[in-house]
Amino acid sequence: MRTAIFPGSFDPITNGHLDIIRRASLLFDRLLVAVLVHPSKPGCLPFADRADMIRRVTADLPNVTVEQFTGLLADYATSQGARVIIRGLRSAADFAYEAPMAWLNGGLGKGLETLFMLTSPQYAFISSSGVREIAALGGDISRLAPQALENQIYAACNRTE
Ligand code: ADP
């Protein structure tokens, strides 16, 4: 049973995240999407809502599970039987941010590998922060985030369309 973990803030999940989840779910027996709960960084959407939203839009993917976690990713991944961490790459800037994290996680002695998946080009410009900002200003997020979640995102970002 090969388990991979896709950790992130997912505040909120975007079409770019969903694309990575779909593609990664084809490569592993089980994909655990793990929402990092960072109590000092509450963000926009409540942590439990972020996980529920991911569950709703991945309901058609039987080998995807969604959980929240706190603390060290390396410890959590190991406790879940995952030896592979999936991260998405949109740009060289992502690589510059991600590479040291991968080296740090790999160096924690748990046999963890980080696999980078290149974003599909149509999602390369999408970020959670962009979705939050556009939603807060009442802009159109229909191409950026799953449509089933739009109302919830607008409500959480405190504006109506
Ligand atoms: P974090 O706070 O851990 O960066 P995010 O929710 O912002 O959490 O991102 C989680 C992962 O998804 C990261 O590896 C990030 O690079 C990747 N990601 C974010 N947006 C996209 C996208 N549009 N296409 C592919 N990967 C993405």
Side-chain angles (χ1 to χ4, degrees), residues 29-47:
D29 299 311
R30 174 175 171 243
L31 179 69
L32 173 58
V33 182
V35 178
L36 173 62
V37 176
H38 216 308
S40 61
K41 289 189 192 162
C44 179
L45 285 131
F47 295 106

Side-chain angles (χ1 to χ4, degrees), residues 6-10 16-17 20 87-88 90 94 97-98 119 123 126:
F6 182 37
S9 306
F10 304 106
H17 293 133
I20 297 288
R87 297 287 286 176
R90 288 161 293 187
D94 272 356
Y97 172 75
E98 296 284 347
T119 183
Y123 304 124
I126 299 179

Side-chain angles (χ1 to χ4, degrees), residues 136-152:
L137 297 169
D140 179 7
I141 59 168
S142 61
R143 286 168 51 247
L144 311 179
Q147 285 190 352
L149 307 178
E150 271 183 40
N151 290 342
Q152 200 171 347

Side-chain angles (χ1 to χ4, degrees), residues 45 75 81 117 146 158 161:
L45 285 131
D75 289 341
M117 294 186 68
N158 220 357
E161 198 178 4

